[in-house]
Amino acid sequence: MRIAIIGTGYVGLVTGACFAQAGHRVTCVDVDQPKINLLNKGKMPIYEPGLSELITKGRQQKALDFSSDARAVAASTEAVFLAVGTPSSGQDGSADLTNLYEAIREIAPALQDGCLVVIKSTVPVGTGEEVQRLIESLRPELDFDVASNPEFLRAGCAIQDFKMPDRVVIGADSERALDALSGLYCAMGIEPTRVVATQRRAAELIKYAANGFLATKIAFINEIADLCEKVDARVGDVALGIGLDCRIGRQFLNAGPGFGGSCFPKDARALAKAGAEHGTPMRIIEAVLASNETRKRSIAAKIRAASGGDLQGKTIALLGLTFKAGTDDMREAPSIDLVQALVEHGAIVHAYDPVGIERAKPLLPECVRYHRTALDAASGAAAAVIVTEWDEFRHLDLARLKRRMAAPLLIDLKNMLSAEQVTGRGFKYCAIGNGTSPTRDHAFKVWSKPRATAYRTGDGTGRRPSISLNSKVVAAE
Ligand code: UGA
């Protein structure tokens, strides 16, 4: 199939590269000419693991190319995927659809009969109908379909998410559009049982509801983490204890400095706005947004308290700046508010990130000093703070770190290190939701063993242990 992808953000590029690999002829389009020039030179505008290799292969096989001429590309394609940004507009949080409608106006005159227009961008409910009406008004004679096919890729593992999705949601009001889209995905090896075929409006809402629900899980566990600190419990154990209930699920229960990125905050705001507009307030989402905002600010107070109650003139080293590991994306990263608050408290901020520094610079105060390594950033620091869960921080040389720092204080906002390991190296270790005695290990431990071994055999009772999933669960000590 000849496919056009409009928008070369991480959704557009990943979608284009994966369809090209699956044997389609794909052109990715963007109005940003310098970005297209970069892509045509084989360079990447974003950091996404594996994407550069996939794009190079697609270009070599002449299955993938890049253009800024949307109209010319639309004239020769059977399916046009719209993957343009829909940022928050103004103060009210609603989605700004300017890019989407501009793209439609640009391609409409060139669309061919029988073409399929697919909205991958995250858009408010009813946008599919608006797009349909707009194309009808511009091309009254055209035979076309508009489908909604929201994307659930995570930055940092986007290719894997695209190729092996939990589900593919297709919102189509015609059988022809549904058949074409489901055929496209099933031909890539995605099982038909993973395809959720629904109305366009439901598909549009699924995207917001999914991101809203995941954001809610995070905000919930972050508040539980705060309570853990007060009642001397460990949030990791609580997350495990509730997450093994498959009605709840283990994922997205990692406490941290608050959620960020280009999706959760924006989509939660848009969901709250949609609820307000329709007279059905999204009170849970509103609370999630408020909780997350408060959290981002309160983290600075936590660092101040751990550092002795005063940050004036103290050097604080931030390890990681991007909103999560595996990406250079800084949009709504918790580090932005954190740095601002630390600077307001009088701290001198030094920072290191393996890939995010260039994108961080325009968003952070000018006084921030950047370094090439975590050790360099931590030199002379009163505290080193892990803000992003980059894998390399798991392997920090703690002995060298301690020698370089002014005081051995490690604040782990991602709970990625072991308290025993860090305190054993002479550090004061401060994590999120770890109670007041972080070194005490009264945790429940899980290790993976085949299901059969999770049953109490040989005790004559044949009874199952109190908890039994795919793992064996025991109380350690
Ligand atoms: C999110 C969704 O997970 C994707 O399914 C969706 O396609 C995407 O938004 C989108 O709408 O385009 P993404 O923003 O890439 O993906 O990142 P996530 O991995 O979901 O993380 C979002 C934020 O939540 C990050 O700041 C992360 O650190 C935080 N988070 C995540 C936690 O604090 N705790 C967790 O347990 C999980």
Side-chain angles (χ1 to χ4, degrees):
M1 193 186 251
R2 285 192 70 93
I3 295 173
I5 313 275
I6 315 282
T8 57
Y10 88 106
V11 171
L13 286 177
V14 170
T15 305
C18 290
F19 279 154
Q21 194 191 31
H24 300 286
R25 180 72 188 81
V26 180
T27 303
C28 291
V29 181
D30 207 293
V31 287
D32 185 343
Q33 185 65 54
K35 203 175 184 187
I36 292 297
N37 295 344
L38 201 70
L39 286 159
N40 274 326
K41 282 186 203 146
K43 295 190 176 147
M44 291 293 298
I46 52 164
Y47 173 79
E48 176 63 41
L51 184 57
S52 170
E53 293 80 352
L54 206 58
I55 287 181
T56 304
K57 212 179 277 174
R59 292 178 71 231
Q60 281 165 354
Q61 292 169 344
K62 308 242 173 289
L64 178 64
D65 61 3
F66 301 94
S67 169
S68 56
D69 191 345
R71 191 165 296 180
V73 174
S76 58
T77 52
E78 294 146 78
V80 181
F81 285 76
L82 294 150
V84 294
T86 52
S88 286
S89 69
Q91 288 300 306
D92 72 355
S94 58
D96 179 351
L97 301 181
T98 312
N99 296 333
L100 186 85
Y101 290 125
E102 273 177 7
I104 296 290
R105 284 197 188 85
E106 182 62 25
I107 61 170
L111 291 174
Q112 300 295 301
D113 272 332
C115 77
L116 175 60
V117 176
V118 185
I119 304 176
K120 258 210 177 298
S121 305
T122 302
V123 293
V125 177
T127 304
E129 279 153 51
E130 289 294 322
V131 167
Q132 174 119 23
R133 273 196 289 274
L134 178 58
I135 299 175
E136 276 166 2
S137 72
L138 296 166
R139 296 285 307 281
E141 306 296 324
L142 186 72
D143 171 29
F144 70 102
D145 287 300
V146 175
S148 164
N149 174 217
E151 193 46 72
F152 303 102
L153 305 177
R154 287 163 300 170
C157 45
I159 292 169
Q160 184 196 323
D161 283 352
F162 191 87
K163 290 183 178 172
M164 287 180 282
D166 288 342
R167 80 300 204 188
V168 172
V169 172
I170 299 175
D173 293 347
S174 88
E175 286 298 313
R176 179 174 68 173
L178 176 61
D179 287 351
L181 262 179
S182 53
L184 198 61
Y185 284 106
C186 292
M188 291 175 62
I190 294 166
E191 290 169 31
T193 50
R194 294 198 177 269
V195 175
V196 178
T198 182
Q199 320 143 281
R200 230 167 22 197
R201 284 179 161 252
E204 289 164 343
L205 188 52
I206 285 168
K207 171 68 190 202
Y208 282 109
N211 276 359
F213 190 80
L214 292 170
T216 303
K217 278 186 96 171
I218 299 167
F220 176 81
I221 203 67
N222 282 341
E223 291 193 351
I224 293 290
D226 289 345
L227 185 58
C228 282
E229 288 180 10
K230 301 285 186 217
V231 300
D232 193 12
R234 288 166 60 132
V235 70
D237 301 349
V238 177
L240 177 63
I242 63 172
L244 283 173
D245 180 335
C246 54
R247 294 170 301 175
I248 296 172
R250 291 284 314 273
Q251 295 190 50
F252 280 66
L253 287 178
N254 299 315
F259 58 78
S262 64
C263 306
F264 283 179
K266 161 182 86 81
D267 292 349
R269 285 193 293 268
L271 189 54
K273 175 75 178 17
E277 262 175 16
H278 291 279
T280 53
M282 297 283 109
R283 293 197 182 90
I284 294 172
I285 291 298
E286 285 164 11
V288 163
L289 282 164
S291 168
N292 199 54
E293 279 311 303
T294 310
R295 180 164 201 80
K296 286 196 281 180
R297 284 194 298 273
S298 68
I299 288 293
K302 184 179 173 74
I303 294 169
R304 187 169 63 165
S307 312
D310 184 14
L311 288 175
Q312 194 61 44
K314 285 188 180 156
T315 298
I316 304 295
L318 297 189
L319 309 186
L321 294 169
T322 54
F323 85 94
K324 62 184 256 190
T327 179
D328 59 352
D329 201 333
M330 278 296 295
R331 284 175 286 179
E332 303 211 30
S335 63
I336 299 172
D337 285 357
L338 177 58
V339 170
Q340 193 59 48
L342 290 174
V343 169
E344 281 165 18
H345 286 309
I348 300 158
V349 178
H350 287 233
Y352 163 74
D353 189 283
V355 299
I357 288 177
E358 287 316 310
R359 284 186 192 266
K361 279 180 183 168
L363 300 171
L364 300 182
E366 275 183 14
C367 57
V368 175
R369 300 269 308 275
Y370 299 93
H371 297 268
R372 287 173 185 275
T373 68
L375 281 179
D376 286 347
S379 278
V385 185
I386 296 177
V387 186
T388 311
E389 68 283 21
W390 287 104
D391 210 38
E392 65 175 80
F393 302 147
R394 285 181 217 286
H395 315 293
L396 283 170
D397 183 337
L398 294 174
R400 285 180 70 196
L401 186 69
K402 187 167 173 238
R403 279 199 299 275
R404 300 274 291 264
M405 290 179 67
L409 171 60
L410 191 48
I411 301 173
D412 181 0
L413 301 181
K414 286 294 188 173
N415 288 1
M416 61 188 298
L417 302 181
S418 130
E420 294 67 39
Q421 191 192 358
V422 179
T423 52
R425 295 293 183 144
F427 277 89
K428 181 181 168 201
Y429 179 68
C430 181
I432 294 278
N434 258 10
T436 50
S437 4
T439 56
R440 203 172 76 211
D441 186 4
H442 54 253
F444 278 91
K445 290 199 172 136
V446 177
W447 74 85
S448 57
K449 287 233 174 139
R451 176 178 276 272
T453 63
Y455 292 82
R456 247 187 263 170
T457 53
D459 68 356
T461 67
R463 278 182 285 129
R464 295 170 60 165
S466 52
I467 308 170
S468 169
L469 288 173
N470 288 324
S471 311
K472 184 173 180 180
V473 181
V474 294
E477 297 168 34

